[in-house]
mmCIF file of all heavy atoms in Angstrom:
data_model
loop_
_atom_site.group_PDB
_atom_site.id
_atom_site.type_symbol
_atom_site.label_atom_id
_atom_site.label_comp_id
_atom_site.label_asym_id
_atom_site.label_seq_id
_atom_site.Cartn_x
_atom_site.Cartn_y
_atom_site.Cartn_z
ATOM 1 N N THR L 26 0.829 -1.196 0.000
ATOM 2 C CA THR L 26 0.000 0.000 0.000
ATOM 3 C C THR L 26 0.867 1.250 0.000
ATOM 4 O O THR L 26 2.094 1.183 0.065
ATOM 5 C CB THR L 26 -0.945 0.002 1.221
ATOM 6 O OG1 THR L 26 -1.887 1.065 1.063
ATOM 7 C CG2 THR L 26 -0.169 0.190 2.524
ATOM 8 N N ARG L 27 0.225 2.392 -0.058
ATOM 9 C CA ARG L 27 0.886 3.691 -0.088
ATOM 10 C C ARG L 27 0.547 4.430 1.194
ATOM 11 O O ARG L 27 -0.504 4.216 1.786
ATOM 12 C CB ARG L 27 0.382 4.461 -1.305
ATOM 13 C CG ARG L 27 1.010 5.830 -1.555
ATOM 14 C CD ARG L 27 0.467 6.368 -2.873
ATOM 15 N NE ARG L 27 1.157 7.587 -3.299
ATOM 16 C CZ ARG L 27 0.645 8.814 -3.171
ATOM 17 N NH1 ARG L 27 -0.531 8.986 -2.597
ATOM 18 N NH2 ARG L 27 1.320 9.862 -3.610
ATOM 19 N N GLY L 28 1.419 5.323 1.603
ATOM 20 C CA GLY L 28 1.171 6.056 2.834
ATOM 21 C C GLY L 28 -0.117 6.849 2.818
ATOM 22 O O GLY L 28 -1.009 6.627 3.629
ATOM 23 N N CYS L 29 -0.257 7.766 1.893
ATOM 24 C CA CYS L 29 -1.480 8.562 1.777
ATOM 25 C C CYS L 29 -2.288 8.056 0.598
ATOM 26 O O CYS L 29 -1.827 8.121 -0.547
ATOM 27 C CB CYS L 29 -1.165 10.042 1.595
ATOM 28 S SG CYS L 29 -2.665 11.045 1.424
ATOM 29 N N LEU L 30 -3.494 7.577 0.876
ATOM 30 C CA LEU L 30 -4.373 7.065 -0.179
ATOM 31 C C LEU L 30 -5.456 8.069 -0.571
ATOM 32 O O LEU L 30 -6.290 7.782 -1.419
ATOM 33 C CB LEU L 30 -5.037 5.762 0.283
ATOM 34 C CG LEU L 30 -4.109 4.557 0.443
ATOM 35 C CD1 LEU L 30 -4.843 3.418 1.131
ATOM 36 C CD2 LEU L 30 -3.590 4.096 -0.910
ATOM 37 N N GLY L 31 -5.440 9.255 0.054
ATOM 38 C CA GLY L 31 -6.466 10.253 -0.230
ATOM 39 C C GLY L 31 -6.531 10.590 -1.713
ATOM 40 O O GLY L 31 -5.552 11.038 -2.296
ATOM 41 N N GLY L 32 -7.674 10.366 -2.310
ATOM 42 C CA GLY L 32 -7.867 10.684 -3.719
ATOM 43 C C GLY L 32 -7.307 9.658 -4.680
ATOM 44 O O GLY L 32 -7.523 9.762 -5.889
ATOM 45 N N THR L 33 -6.572 8.673 -4.158
ATOM 46 C CA THR L 33 -5.996 7.644 -5.030
ATOM 47 C C THR L 33 -6.587 6.263 -4.753
ATOM 48 O O THR L 33 -6.698 5.442 -5.659
ATOM 49 C CB THR L 33 -4.460 7.571 -4.887
ATOM 50 O OG1 THR L 33 -4.122 7.145 -3.557
ATOM 51 C CG2 THR L 33 -3.826 8.924 -5.156
ATOM 52 N N GLY L 34 -6.959 6.000 -3.497
ATOM 53 C CA GLY L 34 -7.570 4.726 -3.159
ATOM 54 C C GLY L 34 -8.557 4.864 -2.014
ATOM 55 O O GLY L 34 -9.199 3.898 -1.610
ATOM 56 N N PHE L 35 -8.684 6.079 -1.504
ATOM 57 C CA PHE L 35 -9.509 6.356 -0.327
ATOM 58 C C PHE L 35 -10.191 7.703 -0.511
ATOM 59 O O PHE L 35 -9.618 8.625 -1.115
ATOM 60 C CB PHE L 35 -8.611 6.402 0.916
ATOM 61 C CG PHE L 35 -9.297 6.870 2.171
ATOM 62 C CD1 PHE L 35 -9.880 5.965 3.037
ATOM 63 C CD2 PHE L 35 -9.356 8.222 2.504
ATOM 64 C CE1 PHE L 35 -10.518 6.385 4.198
ATOM 65 C CE2 PHE L 35 -9.994 8.657 3.659
ATOM 66 C CZ PHE L 35 -10.570 7.726 4.514
ATOM 67 N N CYS L 36 -11.413 7.822 0.014
ATOM 68 C CA CYS L 36 -12.037 9.144 0.084
ATOM 69 C C CYS L 36 -13.003 9.184 1.262
ATOM 70 O O CYS L 36 -13.317 8.157 1.872
ATOM 71 C CB CYS L 36 -12.744 9.523 -1.218
ATOM 72 S SG CYS L 36 -14.285 8.634 -1.507
ATOM 73 N N PHE L 37 -13.448 10.376 1.568
ATOM 74 C CA PHE L 37 -14.337 10.646 2.694
ATOM 75 C C PHE L 37 -15.596 11.307 2.152
ATOM 76 O O PHE L 37 -15.524 12.165 1.262
ATOM 77 C CB PHE L 37 -13.611 11.581 3.668
ATOM 78 C CG PHE L 37 -14.444 12.112 4.800
ATOM 79 C CD1 PHE L 37 -14.597 11.386 5.971
ATOM 80 C CD2 PHE L 37 -15.056 13.359 4.709
ATOM 81 C CE1 PHE L 37 -15.353 11.880 7.029
ATOM 82 C CE2 PHE L 37 -15.813 13.866 5.752
ATOM 83 C CZ PHE L 37 -15.958 13.125 6.922
ATOM 84 N N ILE L 38 -16.752 10.898 2.675
ATOM 85 C CA ILE L 38 -18.018 11.549 2.316
ATOM 86 C C ILE L 38 -18.612 12.123 3.594
ATOM 87 O O ILE L 38 -18.838 11.409 4.576
ATOM 88 C CB ILE L 38 -19.007 10.562 1.677
ATOM 89 C CG1 ILE L 38 -18.390 9.915 0.431
ATOM 90 C CG2 ILE L 38 -20.305 11.287 1.297
ATOM 91 C CD1 ILE L 38 -19.260 8.835 -0.197
ATOM 92 N N SER L 39 -18.851 13.427 3.590
ATOM 93 C CA SER L 39 -19.342 14.096 4.794
ATOM 94 C C SER L 39 -20.815 13.812 5.033
ATOM 95 O O SER L 39 -21.525 13.260 4.172
ATOM 96 C CB SER L 39 -19.121 15.610 4.687
ATOM 97 O OG SER L 39 -20.158 16.211 3.915
ATOM 98 N N ALA L 40 -21.289 14.221 6.187
ATOM 99 C CA ALA L 40 -22.684 13.998 6.571
ATOM 100 C C ALA L 40 -23.667 14.680 5.635
ATOM 101 O O ALA L 40 -24.836 14.291 5.567
ATOM 102 C CB ALA L 40 -22.908 14.480 8.004
ATOM 103 N N VAL L 41 -23.201 15.680 4.884
ATOM 104 C CA VAL L 41 -24.092 16.372 3.945
ATOM 105 C C VAL L 41 -23.698 16.119 2.493
ATOM 106 O O VAL L 41 -24.143 16.820 1.589
ATOM 107 C CB VAL L 41 -24.134 17.890 4.240
ATOM 108 C CG1 VAL L 41 -24.791 18.146 5.593
ATOM 109 C CG2 VAL L 41 -22.736 18.494 4.205
ATOM 110 N N GLY L 42 -22.837 15.102 2.273
ATOM 111 C CA GLY L 42 -22.568 14.661 0.908
ATOM 112 C C GLY L 42 -21.341 15.224 0.233
ATOM 113 O O GLY L 42 -21.081 14.925 -0.942
ATOM 114 N N GLN L 43 -20.551 16.049 0.944
ATOM 115 C CA GLN L 43 -19.330 16.573 0.331
ATOM 116 C C GLN L 43 -18.272 15.482 0.290
ATOM 117 O O GLN L 43 -17.985 14.854 1.308
ATOM 118 C CB GLN L 43 -18.804 17.779 1.105
ATOM 119 C CG GLN L 43 -17.498 18.346 0.530
ATOM 120 C CD GLN L 43 -17.102 19.658 1.167
ATOM 121 O OE1 GLN L 43 -17.809 20.659 1.025
ATOM 122 N NE2 GLN L 43 -15.975 19.683 1.874
ATOM 123 N N VAL L 44 -17.678 15.278 -0.879
ATOM 124 C CA VAL L 44 -16.625 14.280 -1.047
ATOM 125 C C VAL L 44 -15.275 14.964 -0.865
ATOM 126 O O VAL L 44 -15.023 16.036 -1.444
ATOM 127 C CB VAL L 44 -16.704 13.608 -2.435
ATOM 128 C CG1 VAL L 44 -15.609 12.558 -2.595
ATOM 129 C CG2 VAL L 44 -18.077 12.968 -2.628
ATOM 130 N N GLN L 45 -14.415 14.364 -0.046
ATOM 131 C CA GLN L 45 -13.101 14.926 0.275
ATOM 132 C C GLN L 45 -12.041 13.837 0.151
ATOM 133 O O GLN L 45 -12.364 12.644 0.219
ATOM 134 C CB GLN L 45 -13.096 15.466 1.712
ATOM 135 C CG GLN L 45 -14.180 16.497 1.991
ATOM 136 C CD GLN L 45 -14.298 16.866 3.469
ATOM 137 O OE1 GLN L 45 -15.311 17.428 3.882
ATOM 138 N NE2 GLN L 45 -13.296 16.525 4.282
ATOM 139 N N PRO L 46 -10.769 14.229 0.021
ATOM 140 C CA PRO L 46 -9.696 13.221 -0.005
ATOM 141 C C PRO L 46 -9.644 12.422 1.291
ATOM 142 O O PRO L 46 -9.356 11.232 1.294
ATOM 143 C CB PRO L 46 -8.429 14.053 -0.194
ATOM 144 C CG PRO L 46 -8.899 15.347 -0.765
ATOM 145 C CD PRO L 46 -10.251 15.585 -0.174
ATOM 146 N N CYS L 47 -9.906 13.101 2.418
ATOM 147 C CA CYS L 47 -9.986 12.438 3.721
ATOM 148 C C CYS L 47 -10.768 13.357 4.647
ATOM 149 O O CYS L 47 -11.086 14.494 4.288
ATOM 150 C CB CYS L 47 -8.590 12.140 4.292
ATOM 151 S SG CYS L 47 -7.692 13.598 4.894
ATOM 152 N N GLY L 48 -11.063 12.868 5.847
ATOM 153 C CA GLY L 48 -11.846 13.667 6.776
ATOM 154 C C GLY L 48 -11.114 14.891 7.294
ATOM 155 O O GLY L 48 -11.736 15.863 7.718
ATOM 156 N N TYR L 49 -9.784 14.836 7.276
ATOM 157 C CA TYR L 49 -8.983 15.936 7.817
ATOM 158 C C TYR L 49 -8.773 17.068 6.818
ATOM 159 O O TYR L 49 -8.368 18.160 7.195
ATOM 160 C CB TYR L 49 -7.613 15.423 8.254
ATOM 161 C CG TYR L 49 -7.657 14.462 9.415
ATOM 162 C CD1 TYR L 49 -7.166 13.168 9.287
ATOM 163 C CD2 TYR L 49 -8.178 14.841 10.644
ATOM 164 C CE1 TYR L 49 -7.191 12.280 10.357
ATOM 165 C CE2 TYR L 49 -8.221 13.966 11.711
ATOM 166 C CZ TYR L 49 -7.721 12.690 11.559
ATOM 167 O OH TYR L 49 -7.761 11.814 12.617
ATOM 168 N N LEU L 50 -8.993 16.800 5.532
ATOM 169 C CA LEU L 50 -8.771 17.816 4.508
ATOM 170 C C LEU L 50 -10.127 18.260 3.961
ATOM 171 O O LEU L 50 -10.739 17.582 3.136
ATOM 172 C CB LEU L 50 -7.886 17.258 3.384
ATOM 173 C CG LEU L 50 -7.558 18.210 2.223
ATOM 174 C CD1 LEU L 50 -7.043 19.564 2.728
ATOM 175 C CD2 LEU L 50 -6.543 17.560 1.278
ATOM 176 N N ASP L 51 -10.596 19.399 4.454
ATOM 177 C CA ASP L 51 -11.909 19.922 4.072
ATOM 178 C C ASP L 51 -11.813 20.576 2.700
ATOM 179 O O ASP L 51 -11.837 21.799 2.564
ATOM 180 C CB ASP L 51 -12.389 20.910 5.131
ATOM 181 C CG ASP L 51 -13.827 21.349 4.897
ATOM 182 O OD1 ASP L 51 -14.462 20.820 3.964
ATOM 183 O OD2 ASP L 51 -14.316 22.228 5.638
ATOM 184 N N LEU L 52 -11.703 19.731 1.699
ATOM 185 C CA LEU L 52 -11.538 20.175 0.318
ATOM 186 C C LEU L 52 -12.742 19.667 -0.469
ATOM 187 O O LEU L 52 -12.965 18.451 -0.553
ATOM 188 C CB LEU L 52 -10.235 19.596 -0.249
ATOM 189 C CG LEU L 52 -9.859 19.982 -1.673
ATOM 190 C CD1 LEU L 52 -9.568 21.480 -1.768
ATOM 191 C CD2 LEU L 52 -8.620 19.179 -2.116
ATOM 192 N N ASP L 53 -13.522 20.571 -1.022
ATOM 193 C CA ASP L 53 -14.751 20.195 -1.726
ATOM 194 C C ASP L 53 -14.417 19.649 -3.108
ATOM 195 O O ASP L 53 -14.124 20.393 -4.035
ATOM 196 C CB ASP L 53 -15.664 21.418 -1.836
ATOM 197 C CG ASP L 53 -17.026 21.072 -2.420
ATOM 198 O OD1 ASP L 53 -17.231 19.909 -2.827
ATOM 199 O OD2 ASP L 53 -17.885 21.980 -2.486
ATOM 200 N N CYS L 54 -14.491 18.334 -3.234
ATOM 201 C CA CYS L 54 -14.197 17.683 -4.507
ATOM 202 C C CYS L 54 -15.467 17.347 -5.276
ATOM 203 O O CYS L 54 -15.412 16.681 -6.321
ATOM 204 C CB CYS L 54 -13.384 16.402 -4.264
ATOM 205 S SG CYS L 54 -11.796 16.698 -3.449
ATOM 206 N N GLY L 55 -16.592 17.800 -4.764
ATOM 207 C CA GLY L 55 -17.881 17.531 -5.381
ATOM 208 C C GLY L 55 -18.862 17.069 -4.324
ATOM 209 O O GLY L 55 -18.468 16.600 -3.255
ATOM 210 N N ASN L 56 -20.155 17.205 -4.614
ATOM 211 C CA ASN L 56 -21.180 16.774 -3.669
ATOM 212 C C ASN L 56 -22.077 15.743 -4.337
ATOM 213 O O ASN L 56 -22.540 15.953 -5.464
ATOM 214 C CB ASN L 56 -22.013 17.963 -3.186
ATOM 215 C CG ASN L 56 -22.855 17.604 -1.971
ATOM 216 O OD1 ASN L 56 -23.755 16.771 -2.039
ATOM 217 N ND2 ASN L 56 -22.551 18.235 -0.838
#
């Protein structure tokens, strides 16, 4: 595996549908 998988093999979806690389990076990649 790779150290950081954000945006490459992992992502986070917020309670209101915002998709982010991970929960710690509040970057709006789409809803």
Side-chain angles (χ1 to χ4, degrees):
T26 190
R27 183 175 188 257
C29 179
L30 292 170
T33 65
F35 172 92
C36 73
F37 172 86
I38 302 175
S39 82
V41 294
Q43 178 171 295
V44 181
Q45 304 171 197
C47 73
Y49 294 120
L50 180 50
D51 188 4
L52 182 65
D53 186 355
C54 300
N56 194 295

